[in-house]
Amino acid sequence: MQARAALRTIRTIVVDDKPAVVDGIRRFFATQAGVAVVAVALNGRDAIDQVAHDQPDLVVMDVHMPEISGLEAADILRRRFPELRIIMISIEQGAELRRECLRHGADRFLSKIGLHRTLLPEIRQLFPDQVLPENCAGAAEPK
């Protein structure tokens, strides 16, 4: 008999300076089993504080934000919380921005365009021991 991996919810913090984006990602995750948004932040400084307080498994964070950018926050978070998984997101695309995000400690970089199609597959790769169902029907696209 094969042992089944214990299912554990992936605790997630969503960080973006645009409340509509945060809300869209929260609504998207609300339709997905296995991922829960435990906190949100509107800038990098608040993201660092929220991660210290809530100890999430994953941060989904915008690259460009006020106070402390996502890149600076990723640097700090990677040093303080090496087990934390970080997915950087941006409306901008391109190989150079992807390289910069990875250099600053992100595990992945995704475009906000089509995020509803790419986010869960990337989370599955970052958490291979978690059993996440395929996209749920009717999932809302993050705005």
Side-chain angles (χ1 to χ4, degrees):
M1 199 173 196
Q2 192 175 23
R4 296 188 84 190
L7 293 180
R8 185 179 64 80
T9 299
I10 299 169
R11 296 169 41 82
T12 305
I13 292 178
V14 178
V15 186
D16 197 298
D17 60 322
K18 294 170 186 64
V21 172
V22 170
D23 185 55
I25 295 172
R26 283 179 73 145
R27 284 186 289 117
F28 173 74
F29 280 140
T31 68
Q32 308 299 317
V35 182
V37 175
V38 297
V40 299
L42 299 176
N43 60 61
R45 182 180 317 281
D46 290 344
I48 294 164
D49 292 341
Q50 287 298 138
V51 168
H53 182 265
D54 292 306
Q55 300 289 306
D57 305 300
L58 172 67
V59 171
V60 178
M61 180 164 51
D62 188 22
V63 172
H64 303 289
M65 294 182 295
E67 293 191 43
I68 293 180
S69 74
L71 295 174
E72 292 172 277
D75 272 333
I76 293 166
L77 291 171
R78 180 59 62 219
R79 283 194 310 270
R80 291 186 188 171
F81 308 97
E83 298 300 315
L84 178 67
R85 296 290 166 246
I86 302 169
I87 297 177
M88 301 297 297
I89 60 174
S90 180
I91 196 72
E92 295 178 36
Q93 301 177 42
E96 182 57 36
L97 182 57
R98 178 181 306 277
R99 281 190 295 273
E100 189 172 357
C101 288
L102 297 176
R103 188 172 57 79
H104 282 273
D107 295 289
R108 298 285 192 275
F109 169 79
L110 299 175
S111 172
K112 288 182 183 178
I113 299 168
L115 190 60
H116 68 290
R117 289 186 302 274
T118 58
L119 190 54
L120 278 183
E122 293 297 333
I123 292 172
R124 282 188 191 95
Q125 288 184 11
L126 291 174
F127 297 91
D129 295 334
Q130 289 300 109
V131 180
L132 293 178
E134 293 301 317
N135 286 349
C136 298
E141 179 174 350
K143 303 227 185 267

